[in-house]
Amino acid sequence: MQLNTIKPAAGAKHAKRRVGRGIGSGLGKTAGRGHKGQKSRAGGYHKVGFEGGQMPLQRRLPKRGFKSQLLKFNAEIRLSDLERLDAAEVDLIALKQAGLVPELAKNVKVIAAGQLTKKVALKGIGATAGAKAAIEAAGGSLAE
């Protein structure tokens, strides 16, 4: 093998398409752009979603729904999670360290799901009416 005989693999290179170079090329006259219209002209194109002046789909459909950005700061915890947690006093920091609520959480509420038999004191954590009754029945307390 010599340097002057090295060639790329067969089919690796192909000639650039030269449009508008006569009938014989197969891409003469209209140069593959068809006849008339916006797409045939130089610089003539439109943005994504444009429908030629017809009311675009995203404007024909109704606006719907809303998702509050504050939801990511709220979290909830079950009574059964409190049961498994080995702590007499439970606050937001303890729940984050145990991995029961996300780090972003600012407001936590206990919901009445599962059973609670241990005495647990909650600090700075809310509770539903059913959860509050279950906590107090087990001898626990809530301090806001």
Side-chain angles (χ1 to χ4, degrees):
M1 180 169 42
Q2 282 89 30
L3 286 174
N4 64 335
T5 61
I6 295 173
K7 286 185 177 173
K13 296 280 192 177
H14 53 88
K16 187 168 156 258
R17 180 171 17 186
R18 298 185 71 219
V19 297
R21 293 293 180 274
I23 295 169
S25 70
L27 288 167
K29 195 183 170 229
T30 54
R33 286 169 169 260
H35 292 279
K36 294 187 182 175
Q38 190 177 22
K39 287 197 212 171
S40 74
R41 314 202 188 278
Y45 225 70
H46 53 76
K47 60 180 138 182
V48 174
F50 183 69
E51 298 180 21
Q54 172 175 298
M55 188 60 67
L57 183 66
Q58 82 271 16
R59 290 195 55 201
R60 290 198 302 263
L61 297 175
K63 290 199 276 187
R64 199 186 129 101
F66 168 77
K67 186 169 184 181
S68 173
Q69 290 301 304
L70 296 174
L71 285 175
K72 60 188 170 193
F73 299 116
N74 297 337
E76 56 186 38
I77 183 172
R78 299 183 193 93
L79 287 172
S80 55
D81 293 333
L82 284 179
E83 182 73 33
R84 277 185 270 130
L85 196 65
D86 295 323
E89 283 194 3
V90 178
D91 60 355
L92 188 58
I93 297 161
L95 292 174
K96 284 182 181 179
Q97 285 171 345
L100 291 171
V101 296
E103 286 296 319
L104 279 175
K106 290 181 182 173
N107 306 316
V108 179
K109 198 173 217 182
V110 181
I111 58 171
Q115 298 293 320
L116 182 66
T117 55
K118 292 195 314 188
K119 182 179 175 182
V120 178
L122 299 181
K123 291 199 170 163
I125 294 172
T128 62
K132 187 175 179 182
I135 291 164
E136 287 169 349
S141 62
L142 280 102
E144 290 303 316

